């Protein structure tokens, strides 16, 4: 008989007595909601063989404080750590094979303050960091091409440097990030979704030197000034939307 290598779907779901998760050597897969709504208190040490953590695997663990993903992890499932309200630190180790942060992965992790992203990350999906109320600083990798809808909704991010090569900012991607003051949109961005920076009450300037193929309505509050080229599509957009602008 082959030794057990994986953790099955729902295996320990709702086990309120479970304070520590010890994974078997050579484990490759942690199943869907395997440890959801448990009471894990200690750092879960993932084996270097781990490849996949499925949807909701550790969701609703309200005592878990830290997550360190080994480089071997290729896939992290949707809402994997949703409502882990004590979680403070997330780190993807050097050489990470993970290319996306999935939908609602860290949704409502209200204590999350430190994230080390995979160096070759391609996309951050919708609501990935929704209402992470302590997430003040992020360093986005140069490989990132898409930020999904409401990905950083109501996060207190203070400074934001969007990577050159970013192509899509979906609707409400940074909605309600009230501490942002200035943002530059790289010329690679072709899609700027509705209300992408709306509700960013302290945002003074949104600087954009090119004309994206798609520009949604109400991308900023009306007290924000758009810095753009005179006679450009962005200039006309500001006229229609009733937004202030400065010409570069």
């Amino acid at each position: 008989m082959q030794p057990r290598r994986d953790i099955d779907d729902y295996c320990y779901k709702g086990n309120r007595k479970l304070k520590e998760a010890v994974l078997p050597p050579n484990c490759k897969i942690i199943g869907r909601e395997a440890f959801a709504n448990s009471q894990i208190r200690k750092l879960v040490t993932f084996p270097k063989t781990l490849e996949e953590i499925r949807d909701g695997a550790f969701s609703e663990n309200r005592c878990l404080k830290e997550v360190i993903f080994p480089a071997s992890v290729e896939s992290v499932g949707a809402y994997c750590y949703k409502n882990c309200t004590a979680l403070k630190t997330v780190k993807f180790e050097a050489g990470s094979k993970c290319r996306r942060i999935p939908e609602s992965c860290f949704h409502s992790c209200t204590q999350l303050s430190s994230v080390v992203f995979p160096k070759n990350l391609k996309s951050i999906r919708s609501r990935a960091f929704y209402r992470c109320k302590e997430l003040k600083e992020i360093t986005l990798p140069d490989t990132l091409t898409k930020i999904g809808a409401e990905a950083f909704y109501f996060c207190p991010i203070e400074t934001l440097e969007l990577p050159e090569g970013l192509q899509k900012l979906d609707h409400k991607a940074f909605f309600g990030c009230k501490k942002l003051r200035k943002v530059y949109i790289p010329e690679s961005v072709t899609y700027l979704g509705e209300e992408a920076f709306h509700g960013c009450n302290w945002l003074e300037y949104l600087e954009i030197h090119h004309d994206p193929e798609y520009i949604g309505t109400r991308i900023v509050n009306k007290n924000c000034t758009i810095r753009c080229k005179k006679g450009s599509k962005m200039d006309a957009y500001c006229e229609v939307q009733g937004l202030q602008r400065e010409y570069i």
Side-chain angles (χ1 to χ4, degrees):
M1 180 180 293
Q2 291 291 324
R4 182 186 182 88
R5 291 187 176 183
D6 299 334
I7 303 294
D8 292 339
D9 294 350
Y10 314 109
C11 191
Y12 300 100
K13 182 177 181 178
N15 186 337
R16 310 292 286 178
K17 295 181 180 179
L18 186 67
K19 308 298 183 185
E20 183 178 5
V22 179
L23 304 181
N26 302 318
C27 179
K28 291 186 176 182
I29 298 171
I30 298 175
R32 180 184 179 91
E33 297 184 30
F35 295 96
N37 198 26
S38 298
Q39 291 292 317
I40 299 170
R41 297 177 183 275
K42 295 184 179 181
L43 173 68
V44 180
T45 301
F46 295 129
K48 302 298 182 182
T49 54
L50 188 65
E51 296 174 359
E52 182 180 0
I53 305 173
R54 293 182 176 167
D55 294 356
F58 293 92
S59 60
E60 307 286 345
N61 270 274
R62 300 180 188 274
C63 298
L64 194 61
K65 294 182 179 181
E66 184 179 10
V67 178
I68 301 175
F69 297 102
S72 58
V73 172
E74 298 178 15
S75 175
V76 179
Y79 58 92
C80 200
Y81 290 87
K82 184 178 180 180
N83 287 329
C84 290
T85 52
L87 187 63
K88 294 183 177 181
T89 303
V90 170
K91 180 181 179 181
F92 288 83
E93 289 186 338
S96 175
K97 295 180 180 179
C98 187
R99 298 294 181 265
R100 68 181 180 93
I101 307 294
E103 179 180 358
S104 296
C105 189
F106 301 102
H107 187 302
S108 297
C109 291
T110 52
Q111 296 299 313
L112 183 61
S113 60
S114 175
V115 179
V116 178
F117 291 101
K119 295 297 184 184
N120 293 303
L121 186 68
K122 293 290 185 181
S123 67
I124 298 173
R125 300 292 177 88
S126 61
R127 295 192 170 192
F129 296 93
Y130 186 91
R131 290 189 179 274
C132 290
K133 296 181 180 180
E134 295 296 325
L135 192 59
K136 297 178 181 179
E137 296 182 14
I138 56 172
T139 302
L140 300 173
D142 294 337
T143 54
L144 189 67
T145 60
K146 178 183 177 181
I147 299 176
E150 300 181 350
F152 292 95
Y153 188 99
F154 271 108
C155 293
I157 299 167
E158 295 177 352
T159 59
L160 178 63
E161 185 172 343
L162 297 173
E164 299 290 344
L166 183 68
Q167 297 170 13
K168 185 173 184 178
L169 266 173
D170 216 334
H171 68 272
K172 296 186 179 181
F174 291 92
F175 186 97
C177 294
K178 296 183 178 181
K179 294 191 176 182
L180 283 175
R181 291 188 178 274
K182 298 178 182 179
V183 175
Y184 169 73
I185 305 295
E187 294 191 12
S188 55
V189 172
T190 59
Y191 187 103
L192 187 54
E194 292 86 353
E195 299 187 332
F197 294 93
H198 201 80
C200 298
N201 297 340
W202 292 5
L203 189 63
E204 298 173 11
Y205 297 104
L206 185 74
E207 189 160 345
I208 180 164
H209 296 180
H210 71 295
D211 291 328
E213 294 174 12
Y214 176 83
I215 310 167
T217 58
R218 304 201 320 155
I219 57 172
V220 294
N221 291 7
K222 289 195 174 182
N223 63 328
C224 179
T225 298
I226 303 287
R227 286 178 168 166
C228 62
K229 292 180 179 179
K230 188 174 183 177
S232 65
K233 179 180 175 181
M234 278 305 306
D235 187 12
Y237 171 89
C238 291
E239 182 69 29
V240 171
Q241 295 282 317
L243 297 174
Q244 308 170 72
R245 65 264 204 203
E246 284 183 5
Y247 297 130
I248 55 173

